[in-house]
Amino acid sequence: GNCDKLELSWQTYNKNWAMELNVYDAEKGHIIRSRKDKIPNSLLNAGDKHHVKLSYDKKDSRLKVEIKHQNGKMIWDSGWFSMISQDHSRILTETFDLDSISFRVARQRRGEKIHWDKAGHIYMFGPPYSQGGFLKVNIDNMRLDIAGKGEVENDYSRDPGLKTVIKDADKHHPFSPRIQGNNFSWEFDFTCREVNRKYWGMVAVGLKGAVKKPRREYTYTIEVVAPDGRTKRITGVNPGPHWRRPDPNIPAYTITAVLDGKPVTEAELKKQGRAGPAHPQR
């Protein structure tokens, strides 16, 4: 499958704070969640800077998160971890298809803000939810190292042209070249301007791709049972416009098969000349 969004978030709650990594797929939805909980409050105060690095290794389908405080203390070092399905039954072989940096805050209708500041950063304000709990932060020194394509850097000294998804609460800007199944590392700096951990507050920074409607293709199985018990199973049958009958009494496409009990595909019958247009043009 194709992953079209991954997102790192800073969250305040009940006088504590935490971080999360979430990965999304356009068709499957939310597929991965990794969380670092109850991080010491001494590591998130006004003026504190966090250096963020996220790495992806396609060969082994794994991710790594490294977030370090300006004082040298490691806030979160996840180590390499496999991209495992939520039911933990299998390793996901996903391909990242990403072309934008995203910025999101919780939508509370109480003054959310995301904008470029000419001082050279993206300013984000995740407003209070109910009573207290908010974050005001700067994001800058964005850098992507994309295997086989090179580096993408943005220190936000110039307006990146943020595009709005949800007014004041969800914005993004493109980068090029895009990530299309490449190994990559992603780094940026997070600076806390002001924080209140009393209740829940959130800011999130992510990588995302263009939203695509998933394309679903279906094939069918035909099972035939004759009165004398003979059977035939034909799989991979793919009806299309060429099956349409301009005259309902005249077949446009036919499939012929021997009732020998052996399974066969439509593609195999086509190769044998037993499936195709009933009256091919000459």
Side-chain angles (χ1 to χ4, degrees), residues 10-58:
W10 286 252
Q11 303 173 9
T12 64
Y13 68 100
N14 297 331
K15 300 182 181 180
N16 293 295
W17 73 285
M19 293 201 64
E20 274 192 8
L21 168 66
N22 290 285
V23 180
Y24 302 87
D25 179 285
E27 185 170 359
K28 300 171 187 172
H30 188 190
I31 58 173
I32 292 173
R33 175 177 179 265
S34 182
R35 183 176 174 89
K36 175 71 172 179
D37 217 345
K38 293 186 178 179
I39 303 171
N41 287 341
S42 60
L43 299 177
L44 183 65
N45 289 293
D48 286 353
K49 179 179 286 189
H50 302 165
H51 182 72
V52 177
K53 183 175 182 180
L54 184 145
S55 304
Y56 168 65
D57 173 24
K58 180 181 179 180

Side-chain angles (χ1 to χ4, degrees), residues 29-251:
H30 188 190
I31 58 173
I32 292 173
R33 175 177 179 265
S34 182
R35 183 176 174 89
K36 175 71 172 179
D37 217 345
K38 293 186 178 179
I39 303 171
N41 287 341
S42 60
L43 299 177
L44 183 65
N45 289 293
D48 286 353
K49 179 179 286 189
H50 302 165
H51 182 72
V52 177
K53 183 175 182 180
L54 184 145
S55 304
Y56 168 65
D57 173 24
K58 180 181 179 180
K59 180 182 177 182
D60 294 321
S61 191
R62 58 183 187 167
L63 292 162
K64 180 167 64 172
V65 179
E66 300 168 276
I67 301 176
K68 185 178 288 188
H69 191 275
Q70 65 193 35
N71 65 12
K73 289 187 177 180
M74 188 62 75
I75 296 170
W76 186 10
D77 183 356
S78 69
W80 285 105
F81 64 93
S82 297
M83 296 175 62
I84 299 175
S85 60
Q86 289 200 2
D87 62 3
H88 298 283
S89 65
R90 59 195 172 89
I91 293 178
L92 300 172
T93 54
E94 302 288 327
T95 296
F96 283 102
D97 187 2
L98 310 166
D99 61 9
S100 296
I101 308 290
S102 68
F103 306 89
R104 187 172 65 87
V105 299
R107 192 180 183 192
Q108 312 296 352
R109 302 182 186 276
R110 296 186 62 182
E112 305 94 335
K113 293 292 179 186
I114 300 172
H115 66 253
W116 171 71
D117 190 309
K118 63 182 180 181
H121 55 254
I122 302 296
Y123 169 71
M124 304 176 69
F125 171 42
Y129 176 81
S130 184
Q131 304 174 35
F134 66 85
L135 279 161
K136 294 181 180 180
V137 309
N138 296 341
I139 304 296
D140 60 7
N141 298 322
M142 192 71 65
R143 180 177 178 272
L144 279 161
D145 188 353
I146 306 169
K149 294 189 175 183
E151 296 181 357
V152 179
E153 295 188 52
N154 197 331
D155 62 3
Y156 296 116
S157 56
R158 295 184 179 182
D159 187 346
L162 291 170
K163 298 179 181 179
T164 298
V165 179
I166 299 174
K167 186 177 183 294
D168 295 327
D170 191 345
K171 299 186 178 184
H172 65 94
H173 70 77
F175 64 81
S176 181
R178 70 186 300 142
I179 296 168
Q180 292 180 292
N182 312 79
N183 289 354
F184 68 87
S185 64
W186 173 41
E187 299 182 59
F188 62 90
D189 289 330
F190 164 106
T191 302
C192 179
R193 293 173 56 154
E194 192 174 348
V195 61
N196 183 325
R197 287 180 289 269
K198 185 175 180 181
Y199 291 105
W200 191 77
M202 186 276 291
V203 298
V205 184
L207 299 174
K208 73 174 191 175
V211 177
K212 310 178 190 71
K213 290 184 178 180
R215 180 180 179 183
R216 294 182 174 88
E217 296 183 349
Y218 298 90
T219 59
Y220 298 83
T221 297
I222 297 173
E223 294 196 29
V224 181
V225 180
D228 61 6
R230 291 178 300 153
T231 64
K232 191 68 174 180
R233 179 183 174 90
I234 306 169
T235 60
V237 179
N238 186 18
H242 53 288
W243 283 47
R244 181 179 176 274
R245 295 185 179 194
D247 183 335
N249 296 313
I250 301 176

